[in-house]
Amino acid sequence: MRILLVSQMYPGPDDPDLGTFVAQLEGALRERGHEIELAVLDRRGGGKLRFLELARRVRAAKRPDVVWAHFLVPAGLIASKVAAPLVVTAHGRDVRNVGAIPGVAHLTRAVVRRASTVIAVSDYLRRELEERVPEARGKTAVIDSGVDLERFRDVEPAEKLDSPAFVHVGSLTERKNVTRLADAFAAFGRGSLTYVGDGPLRKQLEGRERVRVVGRVAHDEVPRWLSAADVVCGPALIEPFGQSLLEAMACERSVVATRVGGPPEFVTAESGVLVDPLDCAELARALEVASTLPSPNPAARAAAAEHDVRRQAERVEAILQRAVRGPQA
């Protein structure tokens, strides 16, 4: 197939960690022999004007057999103007924007009506989308972004951390629940907590006992920081899927994960602990339980293997092929 991939997030020279979940599925589809043209934005900066640039790139692309867009609005809306079958993947923020930002609900309904299939990265997100956009009912499939098992595996740790070593990988924002995690760690009372990432709550984390913020790291270094952990923590207030948690499990690391969103769909009892992200006492107990799980944890790797990106690419391929064949197929 000739596939036009449209995304408002894609890794670039200045932002190599941007939309890596898109690029890894693209790579797996190329391995399956498909021709893929990119119309993407590979940087964070530029404001809303950059979406005009994305639209220009879409217009300049060769006519494909099928268009595969990531995010309902704006990328899916821009992609919907191409005279070809459309498949759109919803990732989370694009669904939460429905009803939260004026006008987005109307535009999202238009994209969903135009699409042959909408892919949601978790069943949790599918339910949320279908509740907010009834037009999605009956045409939404659940396929997560998967994990590259060759890249994410138990490797040489970035550093030796005090054990039990808890690591959080991601932005330091309110949604990621990073301050409550630090409070729970203080109550737990031993080991180390390392934040790999940056964000507006950094100052609220720095200076705490046995807590360290290393900031953003090179994308290729992420598996080494995951491998430095005994437990990787992701107690976000809401997590539509939980990519970093799945990557940690692929690195044979147990996890402490929010039960709000996608993580319950892949975190098993042997691979981690699910928590109410608002309950600091429960979170502290989860750190205790998770610290008793094996490190490295082969059961975590086995659970992650069920989400191998190559397997997910095969499922996406089937949906794209069905869109090309048309509604009679």
Side-chain angles (χ1 to χ4, degrees):
M1 285 182 294
R2 296 188 308 278
I3 303 167
L4 175 61
L5 190 157
V6 181
S7 180
Q8 63 209 52
M9 294 178 65
Y10 192 85
D14 295 330
D15 292 299
D17 61 334
L18 182 66
T20 53
F21 47 86
V22 176
Q24 69 172 7
L25 270 173
E26 173 220 338
L29 281 169
R30 287 188 190 275
E31 287 179 2
R32 298 184 65 81
H34 300 291
E35 178 185 334
I36 303 178
E37 183 174 358
L38 300 179
V40 299
L41 296 177
D42 62 1
R43 66 184 188 281
R44 288 184 170 87
K48 293 181 179 179
L49 287 177
R50 63 198 178 114
F51 298 126
L52 295 177
E53 179 182 343
L54 181 60
R56 287 194 294 270
R57 292 180 180 182
V58 169
R59 288 194 299 269
K62 298 176 184 177
R63 181 169 177 172
D65 296 320
V66 62
V67 183
W68 181 29
H70 287 264
F71 301 93
L72 293 160
V73 174
L77 183 66
I78 294 169
S80 70
K81 309 304 179 183
V82 179
L86 174 67
V87 173
V88 185
T89 295
H91 288 277
R93 172 60 66 184
D94 47 352
V95 176
R96 294 195 300 276
N97 285 342
V98 176
I101 300 177
V104 169
H106 171 74
L107 297 175
T108 302
R109 286 194 295 269
V111 172
V112 169
R113 285 194 297 266
R114 167 74 170 81
S116 299
T117 301
V118 177
I119 299 172
V121 296
S122 66
D123 195 54
Y124 173 91
L125 191 63
R126 175 195 63 78
R127 295 193 301 270
E128 185 179 4
L129 174 63
E130 292 179 349
E131 180 180 340
R132 297 185 183 210
V133 184
E135 291 88 343
R137 294 171 185 163
K139 66 187 310 183
T140 302
V142 177
I143 305 175
D144 62 58
S145 301
V147 61
D148 186 342
L149 295 172
E150 294 179 6
R151 181 169 182 271
F152 289 94
R153 52 190 174 83
D154 187 18
V155 296
E156 183 69 24
E159 290 186 14
K160 174 64 177 175
L161 304 176
D162 290 342
S163 190
F166 300 97
V167 172
H168 178 280
V169 176
S171 55
L172 307 182
T173 62
E174 189 67 34
R175 184 178 73 83
K176 292 295 187 179
N177 208 23
V178 291
T179 54
R180 193 173 279 109
L181 172 60
D183 293 341
F185 171 72
F188 173 72
R190 56 192 176 89
S192 60
L193 173 59
T194 303
Y195 289 93
V196 179
D198 210 340
L201 297 182
R202 179 168 184 157
K203 291 185 182 302
Q204 297 185 31
L205 302 170
E206 291 178 322
R208 296 188 184 220
E209 186 177 0
R210 292 175 288 109
V211 173
R212 179 183 171 203
V213 180
V214 300
R216 289 193 179 95
V217 301
H219 186 61
D220 290 343
E221 289 293 298
V222 172
R224 298 184 64 223
W225 280 101
L226 294 173
S227 295
D230 293 311
V231 177
V232 174
C233 302
L237 299 180
I238 180 173
E239 195 63 80
F241 174 49
Q243 188 71 35
S244 65
L245 292 167
L246 186 63
E247 291 168 351
M249 289 165 57
C251 293
E252 299 188 48
R253 291 310 182 263
S254 306
V255 298
V256 170
T258 180
R259 64 166 59 103
V260 182
E265 299 173 28
F266 60 84
V267 176
T268 63
E270 297 76 21
S271 63
V273 184
L274 296 169
V275 297
D276 175 353
L278 295 176
D279 190 332
C280 194
E282 181 181 337
L283 181 50
R285 290 192 297 271
L287 297 179
E288 176 67 46
V289 173
S291 70
T292 67
L293 294 174
S295 181
N297 186 347
R301 172 80 175 181
E306 296 297 314
H307 301 264
D308 182 358
V309 67
R310 289 162 183 81
R311 180 181 300 182
Q312 305 303 67
E314 185 176 358
R315 298 176 64 202
V316 171
E317 175 188 65
I319 287 175
L320 296 174
Q321 288 174 333
R322 188 165 66 242
V324 172
R325 292 194 297 269
Q328 73 280 2

